[in-house]
Structures are given as structure tokens and as C-alpha cells.
Amino acid sequence: MTNEASVTRAQLSNRLMVLLKEVHTAPLISFWVWYRVGSRDELPGKTGISHWVEHMQFKGTPRFPSGLLDRWISREGGMWNAFTYLDWTTYFETLPADKIDLALDLEADRMVNSRFDPEEVEAERTVILSEREGSENEPLFLLGEAVQMAAFDRHPYRYEVIGLKEDLRRLTRDDLYQHYRRYYTPANALIAVAGDFETTLMLEKIEKAFGGLPAGEAVKREIPPEPPLEQERRITVKGPGSTVFMHLAYRAPAASDPDFFAFTVLDSLLSGPSSLNMFGGGGVSNKTSRLYRALVERELAVSVGGGLHATIDPYLYDLVITIHPESSPEAVLKAIDAEIQRLQEERVREEEIQRALKQARALFAYGSENITNQGFWLGFSEMFATYDWFAHYVENLSAVQAEDVQRIAQTYLQPQRRVVGIYQPTGEETPA
Amino acid sequence: MMATLSPATWRSLPGPEDITRVELPNGIVVLTRSNFNSSSVVINGYLPCGSLYDPPDKLGLAGFTARALMRGTARYDFQALHEALESVGASLGFSANVHTITFGGRALAEDLPLLLNLLSTCVREPTFPHDQVERLRAQLLTSLAIRAQDPAEMAELTFDALLFPDHPYGRSEDGYPETVKSIRREDLEAFHRAYFRPQGMVLVVVGAVAAEEVIAQVNAVLGNWLATPADENRIVPPVAPPRQTVRQHVPLPDKVQTELVIGTLGPKRNHPDYLPASLGNNILGQFGMMGRIGEVVREKAGLAYYAMSSLNAWMVAGSWEVNAGVNPANLDRAIELIREEIRRFVSEPVTEEELSDTQAHFIGRLPLSLESNAGVAGALLNMERFQLGLDYLQRYPQQVLAVTREQILEVARRYLDPERLIIVSAGPPAEG
């Protein structure tokens, strides 16, 4: 058992990892179980299976039939949910501190005993298709999906987490159940708890609830890296509406790559600071960022936003732009390239880096108001690095030098390493 | 099971002991509560003027004015204002609803003076620079063009227009393309001059600053804003329930999913019917995974990713509505299932178990909803806006427990008439 920066790390004999952080600001505990499985682990023809398994985890076990769980947690005024991402799947419950045993019992039980009733699987198929169809109503989903697919040839990161419609129509109950049994084991999981508890007592409780589960096997997850793009790819998506959108995606470093921090500073200057918090905190606007000035202030675009993603393998740096009705994607691309060229040729000033740091510190403080968010970070950081990554985040940012930012711009932001996606509306309406 | 709060939770609820409420001589009401658990601070509040004052040919004027406040002031131009905010990771924003222009922001506690100073310059001395107004107009028109293609927003807009004919609640606070085009820069100035004044302004500050310090800081920047004579209060006309069922479809070609809104009037926020209606609504379409409606439409029939009900209670009236996103082929069946649930809801009392579950939920969720500064600030603002009293949260558990099954049935019958509903869908054109 080790203790770093008030976080206790332990491993049960069945190899289940545990991270605990006492926070006594409110009488609440946030309990998270993380599984090392996401859309990254899916084979062609089975896209969307991890997300669907996540849905089935709410359908009950013999001990906790589906409606019952919902009822108990709601009665206690708790909150529970789950998320599936490229690299991971996670489940959490945030409850009044004296009611947290319920979360432990439930998560230990559904790690092994979920039913995957065939009728429930069928009902959920239409629910997930409906979830996807809701997204398909949005131009930016359609464009983002096409850009993601064009950005990789083989790596599973090329698919949206929700999966392709044809796969969602074909997946079977047995596919889902096998996926569940393979990945949902103590050896492939991690527990993260933040809140109002005593560490030794919480560890005893976790040992009692999870210690007896068979370890299973940690699944090997090596995926051959995909070489960088060598030529710019351009795609156009057509659909209803009267607004033109552009989505640029550059291949970016993995979160564990030291370049990730310099890239974060670069992004903060170029498109504005991004919040790292999944729950609460809110963000900071980007009206003084270089791209806002170059695009929105010059009336080439009505909005611009960007961001990196913390992932296991190199993924994407995105810039999403709503084109001004009087402008064009070509004019916007030209202005973006001019700004990128400036980053490649001129070193940024020290005060710009200091500013990005202060912004990151503020966003950190906002996120720490919320225990669910603290529990999230405890586990999330372990999915692509270790908790140290998060604990030393601001420190790592402050080590970034102007020449690092310049090198990042020169290395990653080359036109041949990007996908340019344009949403071209087919609508007859004339823009205002 | 009785719904109870632990002593620790009880002590953590904001109340008269730890909320400071001060009315400045110029009429500004300040509410504040300290929280030194994190180093941040949140502000929110409103000025008592909103889209209620929009002339019919300039709908969207209050919203346009609100959004333009940060585009330039006597002491800051657009870039200087956002530089001051963003460089310290702070945020501030304004928007309008029917009754008020609202604002919200956050900063590190050390930057509260800066945040209050910017709030003051924006509300007292905006200059509405011509180029910024035109840039903002293009952004607003683009948002309206995107809205025109968003099935959920179009369904809601149409629902409001049918439920509140010839009434401010039935008009869009954002206006419409024609009306936003007709708003001149002088209109923004005139709106500001006519309706912005300290009387009736409410400002809430929650975070790592002592109450005396907050009051002193607010006084320093807003205390010298002179009260000016107010116009007579604008009377909001009464509303009447639908006389018959109205069914309308908003065709949006090439969209994939249909968004559905079914509903009618609900109680206003400070009416005695509100609490029983709110508990009843939770049973109907929220508790657990979206209550009875979610159970029938999502869990049993697998027709939708979401299907839920909500109560939107305002100053003079409210709406009580069910929302769902469904495949066009399942639309009629979803409507029938939802109407069936509404029929059941007004024909027999909820069960004892349902009521006790929902009561426990309403009380149990207090700590979670109040853990962050933003959560507490929202609660304080509601206390003031709806005159609920500073002891509202402390009285709340008893009030919730006093609601009976019969009261819920009575209130449900008073508002929900299954044969007189507004039913709006938006999405792919209806077949046939």
C-alpha cells in the first residue's frame, strides 16, 4: 500500500486495483468502477459492443433486478450513471456517505452476475438505435463521425463509440455476453473512491465486497500503432440545413507522451483553455484566443473551438468551426493555416504560457468543488497513465517552454497530417 | 422506510444562520454564503427586465441586449474585457428569459473584485459598438438557422406557441430571423436606458470569501449606482388551458429521429400546487430512469432512448410536459403509450410506495445538489426570486413529507386533461 499526495493505492489478491482519496467537504462519497475496455477493443463488425454491454449492466442481476437498483439509489438521493469511451467503460454512484455500502454491493454483483436476458437485449437494441438516431439529427455528429473514420485506416479509433448502425442491427446476445465475461473481471478493473470516509474502513469494505471474486485475466490490449498520415485528406458530408461547418482533425500524441502537455499549452493559446472536468466547474471562454481573433473577429466564422483528448494511443486534435454565412471554408482554412504558421515560425511569449497556467489552475479549483468529479479523475487518469499524471498536471504544464510549443506546432500541425471535413448543407434556405 | 437526513447533512444545509442577505440603499439585494473548501467563487443573479418588454416586431431584443453587454463598455473594449476575464481563468455571461436578464460567472476567490467590477461596467455602461453589434447579429442569426434545423428545439418552440397563444410565454426569447434583423443598435441602447436600474437587481455570491468582505466589495462597485424611477410593472396576461387536443407536426426533411412534446399548463412556481405537482411529476416521468413513462416507453417497449416528463414553473404560470425522441415509425405508438400513462395518472392515486420513494428522493438529493458553489448559488437565487424564505431548505423535508397521494391526484386532475393536450412532433415529414 502506498500513499502519494493523500491518495491511497492498494491491490487486492485478485489483482483488483483500488485508489482512495479522502475528501471531507460534504457528507458524500463517489464510488467508481473502471474497466479497461472501450471501443478501442472492438473488432470490425462488432462496433458499439462495449457501449451496449454498458447499457445491459443496468438491466439487473438475480440479486438486484433492474428496477430495484434504480429505486434504491434514487431513494437515497444518489446519482448513478455509466460512460463508455474509446479506451474505457466506467460506472459510478455518488451517495450520502452513510449509504455507500449499496454501491459496493451492486458493483461487486454486476461485475459477474448480470443476466443479459435475450428479451432485454432486443428491447435495448431499439433504445440504442434511437440514441444513435438522435445524434444523427445533429450535423456536427455526422461530420465528426466521417472525420474520425477518415483519420485512421485500421486503428479502432476510427469508429464512434456508439458503433455503426449495421453492427448494432447484427450483434447478438452471445456476442454481448462474451464481451462482458472477457473484460469484466477484477484483473481488468480498477476501483476509485473519493469522499467522506476513512481509508482503512473503506478498504476493508472493498475487500469484503470484491475480494472473493475470481481474478479473471487482464486482457492484452496491444494495438499496432498506425503511421502518421502522409497526405491531407478532405471529405464532405452533405445534409439538411443552411449552416456550413468545418472540422479539422490533426493526429495528436498519446496522453502519456510528454508532448501532450506542451500541446495542451498550444491549444490553450490557439483555441482557448479546455476544461478537464467531467462534472461541474464550467469553462472559460476563448474570445482572446488566436483563432477567435483571426476567425470570429474578422467575420470568417461565427464560432471556433478545439481540444485534445487524453487517450492511450495517439488520437486527434480537433478544431470545429461554424462558418460565417458571408464566408467560406477556403477562407477559414487559409486564416487557420496563417495562425499555425505563426506558431511554427515565432516563439510564443512567456506571459502567454503563464496565462495558460493560471487558466489551468482556475479550472482545477472549479472542478475540486465536486466530489463526483474528484472520483472521476482518480480513475480516469489511471486508464491512460497513472494518477500522478493528474496530480502533477499543473506542474507539468509549468515546465513547458516556448520552444516546446513551437516544436509541437512544427511536428503535429502539418497540413499533411490532418483531415479537413466540411458539412455542406443541401438546404434551399438562403443564409441570413 | 422513513426519509431522514443525518445530523451532518442537516448541518450542511444553507439556512438563515449562514446566509447573509443585505439590501443596499439603491435597491440591489445581495445574498451570500461562504464556502472555504475550495479557492473559487461563483456569482449569479438577475435584473428584473426580460423578453416581456420586447416590442412585437423586435422579438429577441432583451436577449440581444443581454448578449451585447460584454461587447464593449465605457471602460473596456471587447478584447480588453475578455482579456481581463480569460487571463485569470474567470468567466461571465448574460442571457435573457421572459422576466429577467440573468448573469452568471466564476473566478478564483482572489479575483472576485475583478469579476464584480466587470459585472458592474457591463450592466451600467455598455456602449454597444456598431461593429460588435453587427458581428453579434450574424452570430445570433446563425444560431437561429441552426435552431430551425433542430427537431427538439423546433418541437419545443411550437409547443410553447400553441400552449401560450398571444402571450409572452409563447414567444421565443431569442426572437426570429425577421425580428432579429429589424433590431437596431439604438434599440439596444434604448432598452438598456429604459429598464436597467439597481432596484430589483439580485446578486448572489458563494465561495471562499467572507460575507462582510463580499458586501464591501459589492458596495464598492455597485453601491453608487443611483436608483431611478421605475415604470409601472408590466402586467403579464393570464393564461388558459387548451380547449381541445391540438396535434401539429413540424416537418424537417432529411432528419432521422422525431422529437415529441406532449403537455399542457402547469402551476406557477410559488403556488401551493407546485410541490404536490412536482412530486407527482417525479413519479410520472422522472424517478429512477424517467418514472412511469420511462418504464413504459423505454424499458418495456424499447421505443426511445429518452422519454420523460417535466414541470417548468414560472412567475405567472408553467407548463407540464412529456418529451421523447423516437423513430418516426414508432411515433403514433409512443404518443398512445404516453397518453395512456397520463390517463392512468389522473384516474387513480399514486401508490403509497411510489410516494414514499419520491419523498425520500426529494429529501435525499439535497446534499448532492448543494455540494458545489454553483448548486448553493442556484438555491439562494430561487429563494429570492420566488420569495421562498431563507429557511426554505430547512423547512423543505417537512413540506415534502406532508404531501399526500390525494393531493397529488387532485393537482394532477386540475392540470392534466388527457383529452385536451398540445401534441407536437418535429422531424422527418409525416408519411401519407
Side-chain angles (χ1 to χ4, degrees):
Chain A
M1 202 158 94
T2 56
N3 193 323
E4 39 182 67
S6 76
V7 169
T8 300
R9 172 189 293 273
Q11 188 166 25
L12 307 190
S13 55
N14 59 11
R15 292 195 281 160
L16 181 62
M17 288 294 310
V18 180
L19 272 80
L20 304 174
K21 184 181 184 184
E22 289 187 31
V23 187
H24 299 286
T25 53
L28 294 166
I29 296 176
S30 190
F31 185 90
W32 293 69
V33 182
W34 294 77
Y35 294 99
R36 298 183 188 278
V37 59
S39 62
R40 183 179 176 278
D41 302 281
E42 294 168 358
L43 297 171
K46 311 246 189 247
T47 64
I49 193 170
S50 304
H51 171 250
W52 193 340
V53 164
E54 177 229 295
H55 274 231
M56 296 315 296
Q57 287 294 79
F58 289 84
K59 295 294 180 179
T61 65
R63 185 175 161 208
F64 294 110
S66 66
L68 193 69
L69 294 174
D70 224 19
R71 185 180 161 221
W72 284 6
I73 289 168
S74 298
R75 272 195 67 102
E76 304 302 350
M79 160 165 91
W80 69 325
N81 209 337
F83 306 98
T84 309
Y85 189 57
L86 301 168
D87 298 329
W88 44 260
T89 307
T90 188
Y91 301 79
F92 79 90
E93 292 78 31
T94 302
L95 281 159
D98 55 347
K99 301 291 170 25
I100 200 65
D101 293 3
L102 178 59
L104 276 76
D105 289 345
L106 148 66
E107 292 300 353
D109 187 42
R110 71 174 169 181
M111 190 179 284
V112 289
N113 292 325
S114 286
R115 295 172 54 217
F116 287 72
D117 175 87
E119 271 180 41
E120 301 262 29
V121 167
E122 284 318 305
E124 210 56 22
R125 190 190 304 277
T126 46
V127 167
I128 290 173
L129 283 168
S130 165
E131 184 179 357
R132 194 188 146 96
E133 287 173 351
S135 301
E136 287 173 4
N137 274 354
E138 294 165 24
L140 284 175
F141 172 84
L142 299 173
L143 180 59
E145 181 174 47
V147 165
Q148 197 175 331
M149 196 168 287
F152 297 93
D153 291 324
R154 289 176 299 281
H155 196 286
Y157 281 170
R158 66 194 305 261
Y159 298 109
E160 280 282 348
V161 170
I162 195 158
L164 297 171
K165 225 168 180 170
E166 59 261 35
D167 294 350
L168 297 175
R169 292 205 182 98
R170 262 198 324 241
L171 284 167
T172 65
R173 187 263 173 198
D174 288 348
D175 292 333
L176 294 163
Y177 193 68
Q178 279 167 22
H179 196 75
Y180 166 60
R181 294 310 306 236
R182 177 152 191 238
Y183 289 99
Y184 284 59
T185 63
N188 205 47
L190 179 146
I191 286 174
V193 198
D196 193 14
F197 57 81
E198 280 177 43
T199 295
T200 44
L201 284 179
M202 179 55 73
L203 203 52
E204 279 169 25
K205 285 183 184 198
I206 291 171
E207 174 66 46
K208 192 167 158 237
F210 292 86
L213 302 179
E217 294 207 11
V219 185
K220 287 226 181 346
R221 304 178 72 202
E222 282 136 33
I223 291 175
E226 193 165 320
L229 294 184
E230 286 171 1
Q231 206 175 2
E232 182 183 273
R233 297 177 178 182
R234 293 206 178 205
I235 54 150
T236 303
V237 172
K238 295 197 167 155
S242 59
T243 308
V244 183
F245 298 96
M246 185 157 82
H247 183 156
L248 297 187
Y250 293 85
R251 288 280 195 81
S256 56
D257 188 321
D259 280 356
F260 193 86
F261 296 101
F263 210 140
T264 300
V265 172
L266 179 150
D267 172 46
S268 190
L269 304 186
L270 190 62
S271 81
S274 300
S275 171
L276 295 162
N277 304 315
M278 184 136 186
F279 296 88
V284 175
S285 64
N286 70 345
K287 295 188 168 64
T288 56
S289 68
R290 291 183 175 202
L291 283 182
Y292 189 96
R293 287 169 185 244
L295 301 178
V296 183
E297 289 286 282
R298 290 188 201 147
E299 299 184 5
L300 298 171
V302 295
S303 74
V304 57
L308 280 168
H309 310 262
T311 48
I312 294 176
D313 297 322
Y315 186 53
L316 300 171
Y317 173 58
D318 294 309
L319 291 171
V320 177
I321 299 104
T322 309
I323 310 280
H324 194 287
E326 309 284 328
S327 179
S328 68
E330 295 70 36
V332 166
L333 198 55
K334 204 172 145 200
I336 291 175
D337 281 337
E339 284 304 321
I340 288 174
Q341 198 181 343
R342 190 153 76 92
L343 281 172
Q344 291 165 336
E345 289 173 0
E346 297 167 26
R347 288 201 178 164
V348 301
R349 285 173 294 119
E350 178 55 28
E351 40 294 17
E352 291 182 276
I353 296 182
Q354 287 311 317
R355 193 166 176 271
L357 275 172
K358 167 110 191 197
Q359 291 168 337
R361 266 197 289 273
L363 289 168
F364 248 65
Y366 304 155
S368 69
E369 283 173 35
N370 177 318
I371 284 174
T372 306
N373 195 51
Q374 300 205 44
F376 164 76
W377 268 109
L378 208 50
F380 174 49
S381 49
E382 289 278 325
M383 289 298 108
F384 55 81
T386 62
Y387 184 68
D388 273 356
W389 189 95
F390 177 68
H392 299 152
Y393 180 79
V394 173
E395 217 173 300
N396 283 325
L397 285 187
S398 58
V400 171
Q401 304 287 319
E403 52 265 37
D404 299 325
V405 175
Q406 187 174 25
R407 180 178 50 80
I408 295 294
Q410 290 166 350
T411 313
Y412 293 94
L413 299 184
Q414 300 171 23
Q416 68 267 27
R417 294 187 64 162
R418 74 182 173 199
V419 177
V420 179
I422 293 164
Y423 182 88
Q424 198 66 58
T426 51
E428 318 255 306
E429 291 168 71
T430 42
Chain B
M1 288 188 278
M2 268 296 288
T4 53
L5 286 175
S6 70
T9 302
W10 185 258
R11 279 195 303 275
S12 76
L13 292 183
E17 306 78 17
D18 59 6
I19 302 171
T20 302
R21 182 186 182 281
V22 172
E23 187 167 342
L24 305 186
N26 61 7
I28 297 177
V29 172
V30 186
L31 293 108
T32 182
R33 182 179 188 255
S34 302
N35 167 24
F36 293 96
N37 287 328
S38 94
S39 53
S40 60
V41 65
V42 161
I43 68 166
N44 69 10
Y46 61 80
L47 293 136
C49 55
S51 64
L52 186 56
Y53 297 98
D54 288 354
D57 59 334
K58 295 185 194 295
L59 295 175
L61 176 58
F64 202 152
T65 307
R67 296 277 304 273
L69 296 174
M70 293 178 71
R71 295 287 165 152
T73 75
R75 287 182 287 144
Y76 294 86
D77 70 13
F78 174 78
Q79 277 293 328
L81 196 152
H82 287 93
E83 178 66 33
L85 264 182
E86 292 177 9
S87 64
V88 298
S91 65
L92 178 65
F94 292 87
S95 65
N97 57 46
V98 175
H99 296 278
T100 55
I101 289 196
T102 61
F103 53 84
R106 65 172 79 222
L108 290 174
E110 67 210 49
D111 297 315
L112 179 62
L114 167 83
L115 192 59
L116 293 173
N117 173 39
L118 293 178
L119 170 69
S120 170
T121 191
C122 288
V123 299
R124 293 173 65 178
E125 48 193 15
T127 51
F128 306 110
H130 176 78
D131 57 336
Q132 288 289 344
V133 168
E134 290 315 307
R135 203 163 293 154
L136 175 57
R137 185 195 312 278
Q139 292 169 9
L140 297 176
L141 289 170
T142 300
S143 309
L144 294 178
I146 293 171
R147 179 181 80 180
Q149 284 295 319
D150 185 316
E153 288 210 53
M154 289 314 289
E156 202 60 52
L157 203 61
T158 310
F159 174 83
D160 287 345
L162 290 168
L163 183 61
F164 300 106
D166 301 316
H167 192 278
Y169 286 5
R171 299 177 198 124
S172 164
E173 290 105 319
D174 298 326
Y176 306 86
E178 325 77 76
T179 61
V180 169
K181 280 180 204 163
S182 76
I183 293 170
R184 294 166 309 146
R185 185 188 161 276
E186 295 72 34
D187 297 322
L188 305 178
E189 276 185 330
F191 188 93
H192 176 260
R193 203 168 40 239
Y195 302 119
F196 279 51
R197 58 173 64 85
Q199 301 103 292
M201 177 176 171
V202 176
L203 169 58
V204 178
V205 181
V206 176
V209 184
E212 321 76 85
E213 180 60 24
V214 168
I215 304 300
Q217 286 188 24
V218 173
N219 239 321
V221 293
L222 285 161
N224 62 354
W225 191 9
L226 292 182
T228 51
D231 292 351
E232 83 285 17
N233 260 341
R234 188 73 57 111
I235 303 296
V236 183
V239 297
R243 291 187 186 166
Q244 59 195 28
T245 286
V246 178
R247 173 78 179 91
Q248 192 158 320
H249 182 74
V250 183
L252 292 167
D254 300 321
K255 291 291 173 184
V256 182
Q257 179 153 284
T258 299
E259 295 286 337
L260 176 63
V261 188
I262 299 181
T264 183
L265 294 181
K268 61 179 180 177
R269 178 60 183 82
N270 52 9
H271 193 280
D273 284 348
Y274 176 75
L275 191 58
S278 184
L279 285 155
N281 175 64
N282 191 262
I283 294 165
L284 178 65
Q286 288 188 340
F287 184 84
M289 206 173 274
M290 304 175 288
R292 289 180 177 182
I293 286 174
E295 176 66 22
V296 167
V297 179
R298 173 175 161 139
E299 295 303 304
K300 291 222 174 85
L303 286 186
Y305 177 57
Y306 79 96
M308 57 186 292
S309 66
S310 56
L311 203 57
N312 306 301
W314 262 121
M315 307 300 279
V316 299
S319 71
W320 195 341
E321 55 190 79
V322 179
N323 297 71
V326 297
N327 186 286
N330 297 328
L331 180 59
D332 292 341
R333 207 169 137 227
I335 293 174
E336 213 20 70
L337 287 175
I338 290 166
R339 288 183 79 166
E340 202 41 57
E341 281 310 314
I342 296 175
R343 279 187 201 108
R344 189 180 140 214
F345 188 65
V346 297
S347 61
E348 58 190 63
V350 299
T351 67
E352 272 173 38
E353 189 175 276
E354 284 175 316
L355 178 58
S356 115
D357 282 351
T358 280
Q359 286 169 324
H361 171 67
F362 270 47
I363 297 166
R365 71 185 175 184
L366 285 177
L368 196 50
S369 65
L370 296 166
E371 65 166 326
S372 68
N373 289 336
V376 172
L380 265 52
L381 192 65
N382 271 341
M383 288 176 191
E384 185 64 28
R385 190 195 288 267
F386 300 109
Q387 297 296 304
L388 305 172
L390 298 185
D391 59 351
Y392 173 69
L393 291 170
Q394 299 179 345
R395 286 184 291 114
Y396 184 76
Q398 270 175 306
Q399 293 192 334
V400 166
L401 290 174
V403 172
T404 65
R405 299 158 62 207
E406 293 69 30
Q407 277 176 318
I408 291 176
L409 183 62
E410 196 187 309
V411 168
R413 285 177 173 161
R414 186 138 58 237
Y415 294 91
L416 295 173
D417 181 343
E419 308 315 318
R420 291 180 180 79
L421 293 168
I422 308 290
I423 304 177
V424 178
S425 52
E431 281 158 38

